Structure formats: C-alpha cells, structure tokens
C-alpha cells in the first residue's frame, strides 16, 4: 500500500507540473477503488472527467515492446468511465526511467481483442507466494504511450 500511495503522489506531482491543477480538481481515490486518481472539472465536482489507473513496472521502458493490462481491469475501468460519463481513461505506467501514459479509450476494442492472451499471474495484486492463476490480458504496444522523464517530466520522443 505504501508503494501505491507513493505512485499516486508521483503522478499527482506530474499532473501539477503540467498545470492540470489549474483546470481540474485532482482527487486521489480511496485505496481499492476502481481507479487511482480522478480529475474533475472545476465547475462540476460530482463527475470524474478523467480516470487514471497507475501501475508500477520495475524495469526500464525498453525492456519489452508491450505492457499488459488485465482484461477484467480494463472492463472495470470502462464501466466506471461509462458510469461517470468520463472523457478519458488514462493508463499511467511508472517505469524506472520514465512515466508512460496512454488513453485506453483510444484503443480499438477489436485491436485489443486481437492482442488478448493469457499469462500466469498472482491471484491478487498484492505480492505473495500464492499459486499462479491464468489471467486474460491485453498486450498494449508501448509505442502508443507518451513518455516523460521521471526527474524533469520532459517529453521523451521514442523512435523505434
């Protein structure tokens, strides 16, 4: 839980650096909520316009060409977006060297289903020695993500 709170703080600092606090109310959601951070327009605090899901990847951005997102997690996020009438669902990844972000609403569901696979994962997201279970995941290409340096927040242009 401590790491999750640190990750949220890092993304909130990033959002404030880019001036989101001037246009939105930034809310860190309760632990175990469906998403981690919500951005609400200043004049409408009852609706979350942008939902942000954060995942830490303890590796460098270029370690793999794709990242994973559980199909069940994606479905939960899309249901929350529909319920909130949200305009964006941002998937934020904190790598050792950068912050990478993509709007999940920009991915075509047919494309996502074409890159769906199953991999063995812990039953719960909390690290444990539990037996692994097969979970359905989407393989998202990292080249679709916008990347930012973790220290300066400068945009990194990824050419591959």
């Amino acid at each position: 839980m401590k790491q999750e709170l640190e990750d949220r703080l890092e993304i909130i600092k990033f959002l404030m650096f880019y001036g989101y606090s001037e246009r939105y109310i930034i809310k860190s959601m309760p632990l175990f909520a469906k998403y981690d951070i919500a951005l609400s327009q200043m004049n409408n605090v009852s609706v979350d316009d942008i939902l942000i899901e954060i995942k830490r990847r303890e590796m460098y951005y270029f370690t793999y060409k794709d990242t994973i997102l559980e199909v069940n997690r994606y479905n939960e996020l899309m249901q929350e977006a529909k319920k909130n009438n949200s305009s964006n669902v941002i998937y934020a990844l904190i790598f050792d060297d950068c912050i990478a972000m993509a709007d999940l609403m920009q991915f075509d569901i047919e494309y996502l289903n074409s890159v769906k696979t199953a991999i063995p994962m812990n039953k719960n997201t909390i690290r444990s020695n539990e037996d692994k279970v097969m979970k359905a995941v989407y393989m998202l290409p990292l080249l679709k993500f916008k990347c930012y340096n973790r220290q300066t927040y400068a945009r990194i242009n990824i050419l591959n």
Side-chain angles (χ1 to χ4, degrees), residues 2 19 23 33 37 40 42-43 86 121 127 129 147 152 160:
K2 180 183 177 207
R23 295 174 288 172
I37 295 174
S40 301
M42 292 288 193
N43 57 356
S86 301
M121 298 174 71
R127 290 186 183 200
N129 292 329
C147 298
T152 65
N160 207 0

Side-chain angles (χ1 to χ4, degrees), residues 91-104:
Y91 190 38
L93 301 169
I94 300 174
F95 288 98
D96 290 343
D97 55 343
C98 71
I99 295 171
M101 296 185 167
D103 184 354
L104 293 176

Side-chain angles (χ1 to χ4, degrees), residues 77-131:
L77 291 166
M78 292 301 119
Q79 287 172 351
E80 286 297 309
K82 187 175 182 180
K83 184 170 87 175
N84 283 297
N85 200 22
S86 301
S87 56
N88 303 89
V89 178
I90 304 300
Y91 190 38
L93 301 169
I94 300 174
F95 288 98
D96 290 343
D97 55 343
C98 71
I99 295 171
M101 296 185 167
D103 184 354
L104 293 176
M105 291 184 157
Q106 299 302 313
F107 286 92
D108 179 54
I109 192 65
E110 288 182 28
Y111 168 77
L112 290 176
N113 285 325
S114 75
V115 294
K116 186 164 102 174
T117 189
I119 61 172
M121 298 174 71
N122 286 340
K123 194 180 292 186
N124 299 314
T125 56
I126 299 169
R127 290 186 183 200
S128 67
N129 292 329
E130 290 184 39
D131 291 333

Side-chain angles (χ1 to χ4, degrees), residues 10-38:
E10 183 168 353
I11 296 299
I12 288 171
K13 286 180 183 178
F14 171 86
L15 294 169
M16 292 178 74
F17 177 84
Y18 276 101
Y20 281 83
S21 59
E22 296 168 14
R23 295 174 288 172
Y24 295 97
I25 296 169
I26 301 172
K27 299 182 283 188
S28 181
M29 303 306 287
L31 291 175
F32 306 109
K34 301 285 186 194
Y35 47 97
D36 298 314
I37 295 174

